[in-house]
Amino acid sequence: MPEATADTTGITTDITELPVVVIGAGPVGLAAAAHLVERGLHPMIIEAGPQVGAAIREWGHTRLFSPWRYNIDAAAARLLATEGWAAPDPEVLPTGAELVEQYLEPLAATQALGPRIRTGTRVLAVSRAGMDKTRTTGRETTPFLVRLQHPDGTCADLRASAVLDASGTWSTPNPLGMAGLPAPGEAEALAVGRITAPLPDVTGRDRGRFAGRHVLVVGAGHSAANTLLELGALAETEPDTRICWAVRSADVAGVYGGEDRDELAARGALGTRLRHLVESGVIEVHTSFVITGFTPGEHGLTVRATTPAGDQELTVDLLVPATGFRPDLGMLAELRLELDAAVDAPRQLGPLIDPEVHSCGSVAPHGEKLLAHPEPGFYIVGMKSYGRAPTFLMATGYEQVRSIAAALAGDRAAADDVQLVLPETGVCSTDLGGSCDLPAPGAETQGCCAPAVAEELVDACCSGPQPVTLGLVPVSVRSSCC
């Protein structure tokens, strides 16, 4: 692998000698590196956190609903096998921490990837060496310039032949206010700790913060359900703990999912347990609750909202946000991106994952062609490739990077042969916020196979696998709406 050096004013004429920079050392970023190595290319993985899987470590207490066999990339498994790695039981459901400890850490320690990973290093910007986004002549043969900030605060410019942004969306949760904007007082409430991080460890590390408190969970997906169930467990031993749940939709029945009809038993059980907590009064539900402002105080947080009954105020000790995430595109400002206007995903992918169209829709397997931008050699992959859409699948991310690695290696046939086999169930749902906790207009009559849906999307809906998020890591299902 050629040693990366700081960029100067000169521009190399042979970019093939430069590394492929992968931003992010999570599951999809490391899978990308494994596929690139297998193709004879030279990845360099840049991770802002102090360790690989930094974002997953923050929700490491959460158990996935998908078993190991859907969470391990094929190229990564082949690379690990060469070093004697013992694969976990494929049918066991790992926690986030186990995903890191039993898979990501061994993968990052392999001889092929270990020397290529730079942790504690933040990507500040990606551009082309010597030219901004307005310059066209020679652009395709000009190396990328990746500006890095090292752990000691110093900066350097790294040249690259291609760039894959697998940095995810964990650091940019959606705001709690209406219209996609932070509510007045939201920043102040965050600053004083009245609004927590998503998916806190309620019964473990953060127990002392929640025990005996009045807690409001906002959101209508499985991440909200996970937190509510942990709070319910806490309330069994700490009876002064009071739990409220607020959603923008008119009811919460959709969060319960298929229950005993779900082929993934862990996910079905989640819905059943949550329904029982609501029906027994352990969880107090506030529907059609649209937050308009916050007032943090010494003794609590006042949450203001509009409801069908008029304006309402609710005073709580803590608020847990579970309204999804959005991509941070600031570091890509000097690249020529083509994004879907609704969900901030690559333009060709956006219509296939828009949650207002696909709350009961399918996302077909997709690869390099659908992820391409007008900037040759640059790709957004993994969770970030879905922009604001909440239906991302880890296995889909693995197929994305397999296809891109093949394309970068010049194997067009392999790049275009995109396939993905996922489990089936009778449940049809999405998760992790976005517009999913606000029903689309006409949702009661416009299902995924309604006549108003374009013919090509109907075909996909009625035949393809349907994405459903499970905790933070989703698997796929087939629709029952057809």
Side-chain angles (χ1 to χ4, degrees):
M1 170 181 174
E3 181 65 26
T5 58
D7 184 60
T8 65
T9 55
I11 299 175
T12 183
T13 57
D14 186 7
I15 67 173
T16 62
E17 294 300 313
L18 296 174
V20 176
V21 167
V22 178
I23 306 173
V28 176
L30 292 179
H35 282 281
L36 290 166
V37 166
E38 200 168 65
R39 288 282 181 173
L41 301 174
H42 307 291
M44 176 174 283
I45 307 100
I46 309 298
E47 168 58 47
Q51 301 168 288
V52 299
I56 295 177
R57 293 173 192 271
E58 295 191 30
W59 52 267
H61 57 284
T62 304
R63 189 167 298 280
L64 282 62
F65 293 93
S66 49
W68 272 111
R69 62 193 174 104
Y70 294 112
N71 300 323
I72 297 174
D73 172 73
R78 290 190 290 268
L79 180 57
L80 284 162
T82 65
E83 301 199 5
W85 175 68
D89 184 333
E91 301 307 319
V92 167
L93 307 175
T95 63
E98 290 166 346
L99 183 70
V100 172
E101 294 164 4
Q102 298 179 40
Y103 173 52
L104 297 185
E105 286 181 347
L107 182 58
T110 59
Q111 295 181 14
L113 298 191
R116 306 173 189 270
I117 299 172
R118 305 288 184 269
T119 56
T121 303
R122 184 171 299 277
V123 174
L124 301 179
V126 184
S127 187
R128 291 279 186 176
M131 58 174 61
D132 64 18
K133 71 188 300 181
T134 68
R135 296 278 302 279
T136 300
T137 303
R139 191 172 191 88
E140 187 169 349
T141 57
T142 299
F144 286 93
L145 182 149
V146 183
R147 180 154 294 171
L148 307 177
Q149 184 177 55
H150 297 302
D152 62 2
T154 61
C155 295
D157 290 344
L158 169 69
R159 284 186 283 182
S161 60
V163 176
L164 279 64
D165 183 355
S167 58
T169 58
W170 178 256
S171 63
T172 49
N174 285 323
L176 290 158
M178 60 182 177
L181 303 174
E186 185 168 339
E188 292 85 349
L190 278 163
V192 299
R194 292 294 180 182
I195 298 177
T196 75
L199 279 173
D201 189 358
V202 171
T203 58
R205 178 188 60 219
D206 302 317
R207 180 187 181 92
R209 189 178 184 188
F210 290 92
R213 302 296 183 89
H214 184 185
V215 184
L216 173 65
V217 178
V218 179
H222 283 89
S223 52
N226 275 327
T227 298
L228 289 163
L229 289 174
E230 287 203 2
L231 286 166
L234 179 64
E236 291 181 4
T237 56
E238 300 285 349
D240 290 337
T241 304
R242 182 181 171 192
I243 311 164
C244 288
W245 179 17
V247 297
R248 292 176 183 168
S249 53
D251 66 67
V252 296
V255 184
Y256 303 149
E259 301 192 55
D260 59 358
R261 293 177 289 110
D262 197 322
E263 288 188 6
L264 290 166
R267 182 177 59 204
L270 179 148
T272 300
R273 290 166 55 208
L274 183 60
R275 179 171 55 80
H276 288 165
L277 288 174
V278 171
E279 292 177 351
S280 66
V282 174
I283 296 174
E284 176 185 312
V285 177
H286 298 263
T287 57
S288 302
F289 190 91
V290 180
I291 293 174
T292 58
F294 298 99
T295 303
E298 182 179 353
H299 301 293
L301 173 68
T302 299
V303 184
R304 298 187 298 279
T306 60
T307 74
D311 293 343
Q312 182 178 345
E313 287 190 353
L314 182 64
T315 299
V316 299
D317 295 310
L318 292 169
L319 184 152
V320 180
T323 51
F325 303 85
R326 59 180 58 180
D328 181 359
L329 300 169
M331 68 179 177
L332 309 178
E334 289 303 323
L335 296 178
R336 295 182 175 183
L337 304 184
E338 197 168 49
L339 298 173
D340 177 77
V343 296
D344 291 336
R347 183 187 62 80
Q348 298 180 85
L349 178 61
L352 303 179
I353 62 175
D354 186 334
E356 285 207 345
V357 178
H358 292 287
S359 60
C360 185
S362 66
V363 180
H366 53 276
E368 188 271 343
K369 279 189 176 178
L370 283 183
L371 296 168
H373 291 275
E375 194 73 68
F378 174 78
Y379 304 92
I380 302 174
V381 299
M383 180 73 79
K384 191 171 182 177
S385 73
Y386 272 43
R388 300 188 184 197
T391 51
F392 173 73
L393 300 88
M394 186 186 295
T396 295
Y398 293 159
E399 184 63 2
Q400 287 178 346
V401 297
R402 184 210 59 79
S403 173
I404 290 169
L408 292 176
D411 188 346
R412 190 72 256 171
D416 293 342
D417 184 19
V418 183
Q419 300 180 14
L420 193 61
V421 178
L422 295 158
E424 297 184 10
T425 180
V427 183
C428 196
S429 126
T430 59
D431 185 30
L432 291 180
S435 59
C436 292
D437 56 359
L438 187 64
E444 67 281 359
T445 58
Q446 297 297 324
C448 66
C449 298
V453 182
E455 182 177 354
E456 63 272 19
L457 297 184
V458 172
D459 290 342
C461 171
C462 296
S463 61
Q466 303 250 2
V468 178
T469 61
L470 311 174
L472 282 184
V473 182
V475 299
S476 176
V477 301
R478 292 188 185 275
S479 172
S480 60
C481 64
C482 303

